[in-house]
Each structure stands twice: as C-alpha cells, then as structure tokens.
Amino acid sequence: ACDFGGPPDSTIFGETVKTNWSAATIANETMIRFWDFNDTYHFVKKPGDLGACHPSDSFAAVLALGERQQASGKLVIEAAVAGYEIMGRMIDSFKTGLEPMGFHHGSVMSFAGAAIGGKLLGLTADQIMHAMGIGAVASVGLGILDAEGEEYNNSKNIADGLMVERGVLGAFWAEKGFTGPDRIIEGNKGFAHNLLRGTENYISKMPKDRYYLLESRMKYFPIESTNQGHLMATCNLVRENRLKPDDIEEIILRISKRTLFHNGDPQKKYPYNKETADHSVFFMTALAVVTGGRVVPAHFTKETYDDPIIHELIEKGTLEHGPEFDATTPAAKSTIKTKDGRTLEKQVDFPRGTPENRMTNDEIRDKFVDCTRSTMTTDQVDRITEACLNLENMDDIGELMPLLVVH
C-alpha cells in the first residue's frame, strides 16, 4: 500500500504508517476479509439460490475516508449504516442471486462505497446518484473468485476492497461535478439488464420498518456463512459428548442445497490454504473433532491442512441434501455415529450470530481476542473495545487508529 505514495491521510491497520485513502481502503479490506470472519446478508431466492454479500467489507472505506475527513464517530456510524442500507436493499431486491448469474456478490460494493463517500464528503442526493453510476460502470466482480471447481486464491480477499474503493472514488468525481448514468440499475445494459439477466429481475424494495443493518448475520466461526449451522451442530456434539477422533465411525451432515454444492465441492475436499479451507464442509467438520469442538483462526495452518488425522476424518464424512433447510440456510443437522454404537444428533436452526440468536458484546470481544491473540495484550483489546462501544462520542475517528497499533 505504501508503494502507491500520495498524501498520508489514512492509517494501515496495526501500523503507525499512513498512506492515501485509496491504498488504505484496499489494504485494510484485505485484512478484514482474509479470515472470512466477517458478517453476511442472506436473502434466499429459491433452493440453491442465495442473494448475499458481506456488508462489513465496506468498513475499510468507512474508516479510511473517515480518517481523511477527520469525521466524528457519529458521522462514521451514519456512513457505515448508509452502506449497509444500500447493500441490503439491493440484495433484497434481486429476484435471483448474483452467484448463479456468474458474478461476485461484491459487485454491490461500489454502490455502498458511493453512499459512504457521499455521506462523509457531504454530497447531495443527486451527486450520490452520479457517484453510484461512475463507480458501478467500472466495478463488476466475476464469480470465478468464489466458484465451484476452481482453486481459491488471494484475489478472493482483495476483490471487495477494489470494488468499494471504486464507489468512493466515484463520490470524489461527483463532488467535482462529473456525472454518471442515472439509470445505472434499471437502464439499458445496466446492472439489472446485464448481471440479473433482465430489468424485471430487480424489484425495488420499499424501506423496511428497521435498518438492514439489523438483518446482518455475524459469523461465530471464521468460515463461509452457510456452514455456520452444521459446524455449530457438530461442535456442540463433540463438546457435549467429549468425542475424540478415535471415537468416530461416521459423520453425516444434512445441509441445504446451496451449502452442499458450494462447500461440498470435491475441489475443496483437501484444502491447502485458508481461502479453500474455510469453504470446505469436509475440512471444517474434521477440524471440529480434532480441536474438541472449537474452531478459531489459529487452527488454519499448513500443519492442520496436512494432518493425517484430519484426512482420515474427512473420509468419514457423508453429505446429504436436506430440502427442509433450503429456505432457512444455514440451518442444518449433524449426526455422528461412534465406534461403540451410539448415534448422536444435533440440529441447529439459528446459529449464534444470526438476527434470531445474536452474539453478546462479550462474545464479540472474545471473537476479537481470537483474532488478535498473538499480536495484542488484554489491556489493548479492552481499550479498543471500549472505544468502539462508545464510537458515537469520538470527535475524530483518527483517535481510534493509534489504539490498533501492533507493538
């Protein structure tokens, strides 16, 4: 990021180094995305077709531009909510998800970036409309970033940052008077026509009775979102029955169609990197048994990917399509058969972190501790947590950045 030069407006997470807002947005979003420990929107369209995105991937833009603008904590919150609202209303309005059409869910990020940039730069509604047009014409993600049958790679972590950055850049252009297509969604060869295969497949939703932010699902495990249900069920069985790898005869997972074809893809059966491992039903199930029912970022290592015990457990896994879970992804059922003849079952309908089963502030702090265990002290974690829980009282969001420095 520092190689790009430019004015030192925005801080790289964990560093004292500052770079320009654009480079900081892309670098910081890559760090946010890497562990796949973010949040998600889920709007089921039909079996196997999920309208989704990861709205918190926009936070890098919120913080980078907010620091550049010396924005208050309150304004930063407003900008974040604006981004969430845009992404939620768009995803909810799709008749079909972007994934079956061959496009990456991050393609909505530029619209969010324009709203975030517009809020922090003080743009008018018309200027934000033009910012969306400018950003969206140049920021469509291809589905190969997250496709069945393909090797996963680092571009999965970088893509959302690139796309949200285009939206913020559109806000800078619009601030100077530049225009973009005002019919970017519904116009001829616009977003709906091209990505959704027809303008009739975008039915704009009216405002809800609560913010879309409250529809987001925070991940309890650092894995792909539709796996949260079956992994929680398996982890609970392992902990409650104190199961060890040698106890296992077979593990049967009954999961939704989307979870089955996306995460049960044979290409992902024996992962060798984090990008693939956190999307592998086979691997994460085996990992849950080996770790005693607790899956955290520190478990994703080359040693774990190569572990012969993990490989042996992978072979003991069986996947079943459960049509009853298609409309309630990531709900799932785990059945473990033991060598001593027991059959243990657990079904999870609402994994921890969903709107129906929210995580507490203490659980969110524990999640942060799991991410920073090797880099931050308990005192530092507490200072950061306190600052974030009182963000609306911060005069300048730049005050948060020194607290994040890894010493």
Side-chain angles (χ1 to χ4, degrees):
C2 295
D3 288 345
F4 285 93
D9 292 328
S10 306
T11 305
I12 305 294
F13 291 163
E15 306 283 349
T16 57
V17 175
K18 291 189 177 185
T19 184
N20 69 81
W21 71 268
S22 170
T25 294
I26 297 168
N28 290 341
E29 193 281 329
T30 302
M31 288 189 271
I32 290 172
R33 189 77 180 89
F34 177 76
W35 284 127
D36 222 304
F37 214 2
N38 44 10
D39 64 359
T40 186
Y41 279 140
H42 275 185
F43 297 100
V44 177
K45 308 301 178 179
K46 60 184 178 182
D49 185 356
L50 189 67
C53 73
H54 299 295
S56 61
D57 287 359
S58 65
F59 279 154
V62 173
L63 293 174
L65 185 60
E67 186 179 6
R68 178 190 185 272
Q69 298 300 111
Q70 297 181 310
S72 67
K74 183 177 179 180
L75 182 58
V76 162
I77 292 172
E78 292 175 359
V81 172
Y84 268 72
E85 190 72 7
I86 292 297
M87 287 181 278
R89 289 185 67 179
M90 288 188 72
I91 295 290
D92 199 13
S93 297
F94 298 168
K95 189 175 180 180
T96 183
L98 291 177
E99 186 180 88
M101 299 294 102
F103 295 102
H104 188 252
H105 50 67
S107 299
V108 300
M109 276 286 160
S110 62
F111 294 90
I116 290 164
K119 192 70 180 177
L120 291 170
L121 294 175
L123 303 189
T124 66
D126 277 350
Q127 287 174 313
I128 294 174
M129 174 191 69
H130 288 298
M132 289 183 178
I134 294 168
V137 294
S139 55
V140 171
L142 297 180
I144 195 171
L145 290 170
D146 190 12
E148 301 77 31
E150 296 292 338
E151 294 282 355
Y152 279 30
N153 53 73
N154 294 147
S155 63
K156 170 177 169 286
N157 307 317
I158 300 168
D160 283 20
L162 292 171
M163 288 184 272
V164 74
E165 186 269 354
R166 292 291 91 177
V168 178
L169 188 62
F172 276 104
W173 284 100
E175 183 184 35
K176 301 298 184 184
F178 282 80
T179 59
D182 58 1
R183 286 165 41 84
I184 186 63
I185 292 177
E186 72 276 18
N188 182 36
K189 299 184 180 179
F191 186 94
H193 184 274
N194 286 339
L195 275 67
L196 301 178
R197 305 293 193 269
T199 55
E200 69 278 7
N201 293 323
Y202 189 101
I203 309 299
S204 185
K205 298 283 185 175
M206 295 301 291
K208 299 169 73 73
D209 59 358
R210 67 177 190 169
Y211 287 108
Y212 272 97
L213 174 73
L214 299 177
E215 309 297 329
S216 68
R217 300 159 180 252
M218 187 175 292
K219 293 183 182 180
Y220 190 80
F221 300 109
I223 60 172
E224 195 270 346
S225 59
T226 62
N227 292 297
Q228 301 289 322
H230 72 74
L231 185 60
M232 181 158 286
T234 300
C235 284
N236 287 344
L237 286 176
V238 169
R239 286 196 302 268
E240 291 167 6
N241 298 279
R242 300 182 179 180
L243 298 175
K244 305 295 182 185
D246 288 343
D247 298 327
I248 307 299
E249 182 68 32
E250 184 181 14
I251 302 177
I252 303 167
L253 300 178
R254 191 166 176 84
I255 51 184
S256 70
K257 181 178 179 180
R258 200 273 180 184
T259 311
L260 179 63
F261 76 74
H262 189 60
N263 301 285
D265 175 15
Q267 185 73 38
K268 303 183 177 83
K269 192 165 186 177
Y270 296 101
Y272 66 91
N273 61 19
K274 176 61 171 68
E275 288 88 348
T276 308
D278 59 39
H279 278 57
S280 170
V281 171
F282 312 99
F283 172 80
M284 64 188 73
T285 301
L287 181 62
V289 177
V290 169
T291 62
R294 187 170 185 269
V295 176
V296 298
H299 292 143
F300 290 83
T301 64
K302 185 179 186 304
E303 290 73 24
T304 310
Y305 308 144
D306 295 338
D307 188 343
I309 298 176
I310 292 281
H311 289 190
E312 182 180 345
L313 287 167
I314 284 174
E315 289 301 318
K316 295 181 178 182
T318 300
L319 309 182
E320 294 180 352
H321 174 213
E324 66 273 23
F325 299 129
D326 285 344
T328 56
T329 301
K333 181 179 180 180
S334 177
T335 301
I336 298 180
K337 295 184 178 181
T338 64
K339 291 179 180 178
D340 61 10
R342 290 176 292 164
T343 298
L344 309 170
E345 296 181 337
K346 179 77 70 173
Q347 180 172 319
V348 170
D349 294 320
F350 301 110
R352 200 73 172 143
T354 56
E356 299 84 359
N357 188 14
R358 292 202 178 278
M359 294 170 65
T360 66
N361 282 348
D362 286 342
E363 288 175 318
I364 295 170
R365 180 191 178 280
D366 290 342
K367 176 175 172 175
F368 185 48
V369 169
D370 284 334
C371 290
T372 58
R373 192 173 298 278
S374 64
T375 55
M376 290 183 178
T377 64
T378 301
D379 287 345
Q380 186 174 6
V381 167
D382 287 337
R383 288 195 298 272
I384 295 169
T385 303
E386 184 68 19
C388 289
L389 291 176
N390 291 280
L391 202 64
E392 68 274 18
N393 299 316
M394 191 173 289
D395 294 330
D396 183 344
I397 193 63
E399 298 170 24
L400 177 64
M401 299 305 148
L403 300 180
L404 308 181
V405 175
V406 174
H407 298 286

